[in-house]
Amino acid sequence: MNQKPCLSLEDVKRIAAAAEAEAVANRWAVCIAICDEGGHLLWLQRLDGAAPISAQIAPAKAHTSAVGRRESKVYEDMINQGRTSFLTAPGLSGLLEGGVPILVDGHCVGAVGVSGVKSIEDAQIARAGIAALA
C-alpha cells in the first residue's frame, strides 16, 4: 500500500496564521483559502476589508492548484498565450495567479489560494503561508 503525507488541522492553522501575518504586514485585505489534495476546502478566512467576491475566488484558486498539482498561474499563462480552450476545463474555475500547491516529499497535499490584491501579491501571501511548514 502506498503512503503519503497529509495535512493536519495544526498544519492548516500554521499555514493560515503565516499567510495572515504576511497580508497584515503589507496591509492587504484578502481572503485566504486552504484545501486538501482533492481540492476540498479546509480553511476560509476573509480579512477585514476584503471584497466579498474574494471569498469565492480564493477557494477556486486553491482548488485549481491542488487538483492540478501546480500553481494556478500556469493555467492563466496558458490562456493568455492563446490556449483559450482551457477556459472550459471541467471543474476548474480559479484559473488566475494566487493558487499555490503545498508539496511535501514530492506529494501534493493541498493548496493555498489567496484573493484580494494583485495576483502576484496573492501568490506571495500563499507562499508565505506554505513556508510555515518548513
Side-chain angles (χ1 to χ4, degrees):
M1 175 162 305
N2 292 327
Q3 295 182 9
K4 70 175 198 171
C6 66
L7 291 173
S8 68
L9 179 58
E10 188 59 38
D11 295 331
V12 171
K13 288 179 180 180
R14 220 167 46 232
I15 293 166
E20 178 183 358
E22 181 72 13
V24 168
N26 288 288
R27 297 185 177 176
W28 292 332
V30 297
C31 186
I32 301 162
I34 304 170
C35 64
D36 67 12
E37 73 278 5
H40 304 98
L41 191 61
L42 300 173
W43 186 273
L44 180 64
Q45 178 176 0
R46 191 172 134 210
L47 301 183
D48 292 343
I53 190 68
S54 65
Q56 293 179 320
I57 296 172
K61 289 180 179 182
H63 177 269
T64 294
S65 183
V67 299
R69 297 180 176 165
R70 60 188 56 136
E71 291 202 25
S72 55
K73 183 182 186 325
V74 170
Y75 301 106
E76 180 179 9
D77 290 346
M78 282 193 289
I79 292 163
N80 287 339
Q81 293 168 6
R83 196 168 177 202
T84 56
S85 61
F86 237 98
L87 291 169
T88 63
L92 299 181
S93 62
L95 304 173
L96 304 164
E97 183 175 10
V100 180
I102 303 167
L103 303 173
V104 177
D105 298 331
H107 298 279
C108 180
V109 297
V112 179
V114 179
S115 177
V117 287
K118 294 177 185 173
S119 290
I120 195 166
E121 296 165 346
D122 289 341
Q124 176 183 329
I125 295 166
R127 286 189 198 97
I130 294 166
L133 289 180

